Amino acid sequence: MQEHIVVLTGAGISAESGLSTFRDSGGLWEQHSVYDVATPEAFARNQELVLRFYNERRHQLESAQPNPAHRLLAELESRYRVTVVTQNVDDLHERGGSTNVLHLHGELTKARSSGFPELIYDIGYKEIHPGDVCERGTQLRPHIVWFGEEVPMLDAAAEVVRTADRLLIVGTSLQVYPAAGLVYEVDIDVPITVIDPGEPASVSRARVIRKSASDGLSEWVSKLT
């Protein structure tokens, strides 16, 4: 049976492809407070602003390209069973070649009904406008888990982490809950590696590689046995 590598990824891996992260800029994301563009209350208050903001993010994503870190994770699939659990809403893992990706916080290339959340649509890099509705007549919204909303894929992610033979954490500070709590789902004897150039939250018994996602992954992969 192939060894199962579970990879938890965060904004740091996408930053190398030029995608902004709000935590790097004092709580602002592309000059917007997250409370103005990333909460249910913000959508209720100013639907046009929120939709325009995510339309811009979608346009930005369309021109972004997977970086060496995305490709290195995809290449691991030739030797291992690999599951990527990502906090990122972009599609760079998939475009980089990974075939088993679980998105904790939703997907920018999808829309869903604001009244019937089970109605989800692939929209690619198209825009969502006020007045765009689902087949049941309610406004479409980004398929994104906003602050204050439940994380519907959390239980599925926890089940995946429990099956890991190795846990690799890339480009996340491990400060955003509940996603950060996934690290505690891993078995006690499973090796954990954290790759992040900053100061990620402490994880007991983890090996820490303080390098960029691409450089750190290259080092980690070169030492795999």
Side-chain angles (χ1 to χ4, degrees):
M1 183 179 294
Q2 281 186 312
E3 192 173 47
H4 188 198
I5 298 176
V6 176
V7 190
L8 305 182
T9 69
I13 196 169
S14 296
E16 292 186 37
S17 293
L19 299 183
S20 302
T21 67
F22 72 86
R23 287 184 178 272
D24 289 338
S25 49
L28 295 178
W29 192 6
E30 295 289 331
Q31 306 309 309
H32 292 283
S33 164
V34 296
Y35 299 106
D36 290 333
V37 294
T39 68
E41 295 78 15
F43 189 65
R45 183 172 60 247
N46 194 337
Q47 184 181 108
E48 184 176 0
L49 171 65
V50 173
L51 292 178
R52 185 170 68 247
F53 176 82
Y54 285 97
N55 289 339
E56 291 170 356
R57 304 285 71 71
R58 221 171 280 111
H59 288 312
Q60 183 187 42
L61 174 58
E62 184 176 16
S63 62
Q65 296 298 321
N67 61 59
H70 295 108
R71 291 189 287 271
L72 280 167
L73 291 179
E75 289 166 7
L76 282 176
E77 293 187 16
S78 66
R79 292 183 288 156
Y80 303 93
R81 177 186 167 206
V82 181
T83 305
V84 177
V85 178
T86 186
Q87 298 176 63
N88 301 332
V89 298
D90 59 65
D91 62 352
L92 295 178
H93 280 300
E94 289 88 345
R95 283 200 271 147
S98 289
T99 62
N100 192 12
V101 184
L102 188 157
H103 287 267
L104 278 173
H105 295 154
E107 297 178 67
L108 194 55
T109 56
K110 294 182 179 180
R112 76 168 184 259
S113 167
S114 56
F116 303 93
E118 70 277 10
L119 296 178
I120 301 169
Y121 307 88
D122 287 304
I123 61 169
Y125 308 105
K126 296 178 181 177
E127 296 186 351
I128 306 172
H129 300 285
D132 291 345
V133 297
C134 72
E135 68 256 36
R136 300 182 70 173
T138 62
Q139 174 66 43
L140 293 177
R141 54 161 279 182
H143 182 47
I144 302 292
V145 178
W146 285 328
F147 290 89
E149 294 184 322
E150 292 185 0
V151 181
M153 296 302 293
L154 188 64
D155 287 345
E159 289 183 14
V160 167
V161 172
R162 293 183 197 119
T163 68
D165 296 306
R166 297 176 189 260
L167 181 64
L168 180 62
I169 302 166
V170 185
T172 173
S173 63
L174 294 174
Q175 294 176 0
V176 178
Y177 282 83
L182 288 171
V183 69
Y184 302 110
E185 298 290 341
V186 73
D187 283 348
I188 191 67
D189 58 344
V190 170
I192 301 173
T193 303
V194 178
I195 298 172
D196 193 275
E199 293 290 336
S202 177
V203 177
S204 61
R205 68 188 176 81
R207 173 192 174 203
V208 179
I209 302 175
R210 285 197 169 85
K211 293 185 177 181
S212 69
S214 295
D215 289 344
L217 266 170
S218 180
E219 176 181 316
W220 185 80
V221 169
S222 70
K223 296 179 179 179
L224 273 178
T225 56

